[in-house]
Amino acid sequence: MSLHVFSNKSLLPGLFALLAAQSAMAQSSYPNVVAMGVGQAESSAWYGACMKVANAAPPAADLPPSSAVAGLQRCEPIDMYYDTKSMSAPKAADWQPVRQCAFVQKNSAVLMMLYQNGLGVTRNPALALKHACSIDAAPAEMEGRVAHLQKLNASGAHGEIDLCDDITSGYMIGVCSGIDSRQKQRVRVAASSKLNNTLPPAARAALDALQQATDKFSASHATREMDLGGTIGSSVAINTHTEQMELLAHDLRQYEQGQLPQPGKVGAAALDKQLNVLYGKVMKQTQADYPGAVSKDGIRATQRLWLVYRDAWLRYGAIRYPSVSADTWLALLTARRNAQLEELLQP
């Protein structure tokens, strides 16, 4: 399965390369045991359940017509599935291209969800289970997913399932973080477009500059100032970046509703002094004091991007919310950055 997580893939090329490389693994058997040790699965209960549905096949009408196959060679079934699911009331016709894309791309995860959840197709638990058994998964994940489907269908109620319900591996945590991030990004883009339509040209240009500066700063903070070691490193980076972009969206919603920031007890000058002290301490640490692969060069680069982000906020704030003083903006933004620098000083 392939994902588009951020608006600009160049910001996090290493993570995208990881996701692409791991998602490209081809299924070599049924059930799919490429991630498992030889001879470790055949005696398990889930393996037996998978073998019982090995001959399940979709109705011919569900398969994409030959005339549509050429146009689906580059489609993204995961993206299409969650985009369609986010619609207010998707119809069967909305799900048809999702299903056709999933068949062409051999995306078992999407086909599992479509047939279990009855989205644009007649619900087919046996076929859903067969596709679940075809997903490249860690042993515990495969066991949990098969058991989950069996439990859902045992009572005849046929509850719904999601790819991310039963994940156990660091890789899949990253994939599911990416799915969540992309959907949140779509909501942000829609809200931003709506706001843009109400802004005069100067404010529109300032907002665009702010959004770009936020994206670059948050991506740098996510990849250069966070411990990305271990199998969940990609998830940490994705979630950190998403949190910062969501914070911007939250702020804009609040401010547009008239809930503007108020002067705090600590002024901008005092917080700027604190920032200089914290930054100095961070720069004096040895490499061994940093978590994971964090380095002085990475922190320095992120700090420079934060300054661009801070100034972009000041410009937009002065245009859009002139009643808020520059000191108030500086205090708010500097306090947030200080909290990030303090994290880098934690043992």
Side-chain angles (χ1 to χ4, degrees):
M1 67 193 71
S2 58
L3 304 168
H4 296 299
V5 181
F6 300 111
S7 57
N8 185 346
K9 286 188 179 183
S10 65
L11 294 177
L12 297 170
L15 297 183
F16 281 103
L18 172 66
L19 293 178
Q22 296 196 37
S23 65
M25 295 179 66
Q27 179 183 343
S28 59
S29 62
Y30 179 87
N32 193 343
V33 293
V34 296
M36 307 175 195
V38 177
Q40 299 300 309
E42 287 78 355
S43 61
S44 63
W46 68 260
Y47 192 97
C50 290
M51 294 309 296
K52 290 180 181 179
V53 296
N55 295 323
D62 288 355
L63 300 175
S66 56
S67 58
V69 172
L72 295 168
Q73 293 304 310
R74 300 183 62 133
C75 67
E76 304 283 356
I78 287 286
D79 289 352
M80 292 176 68
Y81 177 86
Y82 286 100
D83 290 353
T84 304
K85 199 169 189 293
S86 71
M87 295 168 61
S88 58
K91 299 178 176 60
D94 298 315
W95 287 109
Q96 178 177 300
V98 181
R99 182 179 70 254
Q100 293 181 350
C101 174
F103 272 119
V104 170
Q105 297 296 332
K106 297 181 174 59
N107 192 294
S108 296
V110 169
L111 292 170
M112 172 194 71
M113 292 187 288
L114 291 176
Y115 281 104
Q116 176 62 29
N117 302 339
L119 300 174
V121 295
T122 299
R123 192 186 298 270
N124 189 326
L127 192 54
L129 179 57
K130 179 179 179 179
H131 285 298
C133 297
S134 301
I135 298 173
D136 175 16
E141 185 176 304
M142 181 72 85
E143 180 180 13
R145 186 172 289 126
V146 169
H148 186 181
L149 284 166
Q150 290 178 314
K151 183 177 180 180
L152 287 175
N153 296 311
S155 64
H158 305 309
E160 293 194 354
I161 196 167
D162 187 86
L163 169 65
C164 298
D165 285 345
D166 306 290
I167 59 174
T168 61
S169 67
Y171 165 65
M172 281 305 300
I173 291 173
V175 168
C176 292
S177 293
I179 291 170
D180 177 67
S181 176
R182 185 177 183 278
Q183 292 308 308
K184 287 178 178 176
Q185 179 189 343
R186 292 179 69 249
V187 174
R188 292 196 305 269
V189 168
S192 177
S193 297
K194 184 176 180 180
L195 175 58
N196 263 331
N197 291 334
T198 70
L199 297 177
R204 192 178 302 129
L207 177 59
D208 182 63
L210 171 58
Q211 290 170 328
Q212 291 188 45
T214 306
D215 197 19
K216 291 178 180 178
F217 160 63
S218 60
S220 186
H221 172 58
T223 56
R224 292 168 168 164
E225 295 186 334
M226 305 299 294
D227 183 1
L228 304 183
T231 58
I232 64 169
S234 61
S235 177
V236 171
I238 292 169
N239 290 339
T240 301
H241 181 275
T242 301
E243 287 169 5
Q244 291 297 308
M245 298 306 294
E246 286 288 290
L247 178 60
L248 172 63
H250 172 269
D251 286 346
L252 291 173
R253 284 195 303 271
Q254 295 290 98
Y255 302 158
E256 288 301 311
Q257 293 170 5
Q259 301 176 40
L260 297 171
Q262 301 298 316
K265 294 181 180 179
V266 183
L271 287 165
D272 185 64
K273 183 178 180 180
Q274 182 187 29
L275 182 147
N276 290 327
V277 171
L278 289 170
Y279 186 74
K281 289 181 178 179
V282 168
M283 287 293 105
K284 289 179 182 177
Q285 290 188 139
T286 65
Q287 183 60 44
D289 294 322
Y290 296 123
V294 177
S295 68
K296 290 182 182 180
D297 287 343
I299 297 169
R300 188 179 296 111
T302 304
Q303 183 65 16
R304 289 170 180 164
L305 289 171
W306 177 79
L307 292 172
V308 176
Y309 157 76
R310 180 200 66 184
D311 293 345
W313 245 126
L314 290 174
R315 285 192 293 274
Y316 181 68
I319 295 172
R320 184 62 175 168
Y321 315 111
S323 64
V324 180
S325 69
D327 190 82
T328 299
W329 291 117
L330 283 169
L332 171 66
L333 299 168
T334 305
R336 289 176 177 176
R337 180 57 179 159
N338 287 353
Q340 293 176 345
L341 293 173
E342 286 176 340
E343 286 291 322
L344 289 168
L345 291 172
Q346 299 302 315

